[in-house]
Amino acid sequence: MNQKLHQLLIQLRLKGMAGALDHEIQRAEKEASPVSEVLHHLLIEEQVYRQDQSLLSRLKRARIPWDWTLKTFPFDKQPGVSKAQIHELSGLAFVERKENIVLIGNPGTGKSGLAIGLLRQALLSGYRGRFYHAQDLLDELYASLADRSSARLIRRLCRYDVLLIDELGYLTLKPEQVNAFFKLMGERYGKKSTIITTNIDYPAWYDLFQRKTLVDALLDRLKHYCITIRINGPSLRVASNGKGKSSTIKP
């Protein structure tokens, strides 16, 4: 009978229950547990299994390139970052409020580490998200114009609760890429949260995008629901070890 139950559970794709079946039957026989209690325990195992699988799926689809978390961020080595502010953001109220976060700072100051940590926290809490290098996102938007799939791509990107755009800096952009990027940001405005890391402050965005009226509109919308964090601190990539040598620190 146990074998038949296993086969049925696998056919019904109840893998969590299948994995716990033998243990629960043995426990029930030993403790004379009622059928309702056994069923309850099996359903809990199935629920936990599905939650775990859902989390693994969200993490995989987010395509986060590094295993950084907020717990691993070296706040003690970066005085330019307020640990209290980041801790508050980790509560994800900004996602609930559909607010954006823009982290501005020199290379190596920990912008990407903080952004990835916040994205990972959102994924762990059940939100859907995606990491993109800025150049990769802009290239993908540009490529979608060739086969007329840009509208479908933007709709897909707008379904992410948190979209992380990393290293928005001095890129070489075509007018079509700029237009598609502004279209994406306009569609996400007030609906989903976007996290951007950049080494250029807002005034320099006019030189980057070369479209004053569009940049005016972008910044007006982006900053309307936005938390801007400027990191004025040392680089975390190379720190002195006290012996005249250098060592790399991951943010």
Side-chain angles (χ1 to χ4, degrees), residues 26 47 107 110 113 150 165 174 178 182 186 225:
Q26 291 173 6
Q47 181 183 43
S150 56
I165 304 173
K174 298 179 176 63
V178 174
F182 286 0
Y225 297 104

Side-chain angles (χ1 to χ4, degrees), residues 68 72-74 77 108 235-240 246-251:
W68 294 340
T72 63
F73 188 86
K77 295 180 174 63
S235 173
L236 298 173
R237 290 178 181 165
V238 179
S240 173
S246 63
S247 58
T248 302
I249 297 177
K250 293 183 179 181

Side-chain angles (χ1 to χ4, degrees), residues 51-64:
Q51 289 174 343
D52 290 344
Q53 292 301 306
S54 178
L55 172 58
L56 291 174
S57 176
R58 291 195 302 275
L59 288 170
K60 181 179 180 180
R61 293 180 179 180
R63 299 188 183 182
I64 299 176

Side-chain angles (χ1 to χ4, degrees), residues 10-215:
I10 294 300
Q11 289 175 5
L12 293 171
R13 298 182 180 180
L14 299 173
K15 296 182 179 180
M17 295 179 69
L21 180 64
D22 290 339
H23 172 75
E24 287 302 323
I25 289 178
Q26 291 173 6
R27 187 188 62 80
E29 291 174 346
K30 181 179 179 180
E31 300 177 5
S33 303
V35 175
S36 59
E37 182 178 328
V38 176
L39 181 58
H40 181 251
H41 286 171
L42 288 172
L43 288 172
I44 289 178
E45 290 293 335
E46 182 64 30
Q47 181 183 43
V48 170
Y49 173 82
R50 294 194 178 194
Q51 289 174 343
D52 290 344
Q53 292 301 306
S54 178
L55 172 58
L56 291 174
S57 176
R58 291 195 302 275
L59 288 170
K60 181 179 180 180
R61 293 180 179 180
R63 299 188 183 182
I64 299 176
W66 304 290
D67 294 330
W68 294 340
T69 70
L70 295 179
K71 290 183 179 180
T72 63
F73 188 86
F75 289 99
D76 58 324
K77 295 180 174 63
Q78 183 48 277
V81 174
S82 169
K83 185 175 181 179
Q85 182 184 26
I86 301 303
H87 177 74
E88 181 179 356
L89 291 175
S90 69
L92 304 177
F94 77 94
V95 182
E96 290 290 332
R97 295 193 295 262
K98 314 297 189 297
E99 291 178 335
N100 303 311
I101 296 178
V102 177
L103 296 112
I104 303 173
N106 291 328
T109 52
K111 305 182 301 294
S112 298
L114 292 171
I116 287 173
L118 290 171
L119 174 58
R120 186 180 296 276
Q121 191 68 28
L123 296 170
L124 292 173
S125 298
Y127 293 105
R128 292 191 300 168
R130 175 69 195 272
F131 174 98
Y132 267 102
H133 288 290
Q135 187 65 66
D136 293 340
L137 173 62
L138 290 162
D139 289 346
E140 189 169 330
L141 287 168
Y142 183 71
S144 71
L145 296 172
D147 59 3
R148 301 181 183 274
S149 64
S150 56
R152 184 168 64 252
L153 173 59
I154 288 175
R155 284 196 300 270
R156 176 168 61 81
L157 294 173
C158 285
R159 287 196 290 269
Y160 291 117
D161 300 299
V162 181
L163 179 64
L164 198 172
I165 304 173
D166 191 43
E167 296 298 342
L168 184 67
Y170 291 106
L171 309 172
T172 302
L173 303 177
K174 298 179 176 63
E176 295 86 354
Q177 289 175 302
V178 174
N179 292 336
F181 179 73
F182 286 0
K183 172 69 173 176
L184 170 62
M185 297 304 296
E187 290 293 326
R188 290 183 61 84
Y189 168 67
K191 301 174 185 176
K192 302 290 184 180
S193 294
T194 302
I195 302 176
I196 296 176
T197 74
T198 177
N199 60 359
I200 57 175
D201 213 330
Y202 294 126
W205 289 29
Y206 291 93
D207 294 330
L208 171 63
F209 292 112
Q210 297 290 319
R211 302 285 294 277
K212 183 181 185 305
T213 55
L214 290 180
V215 175

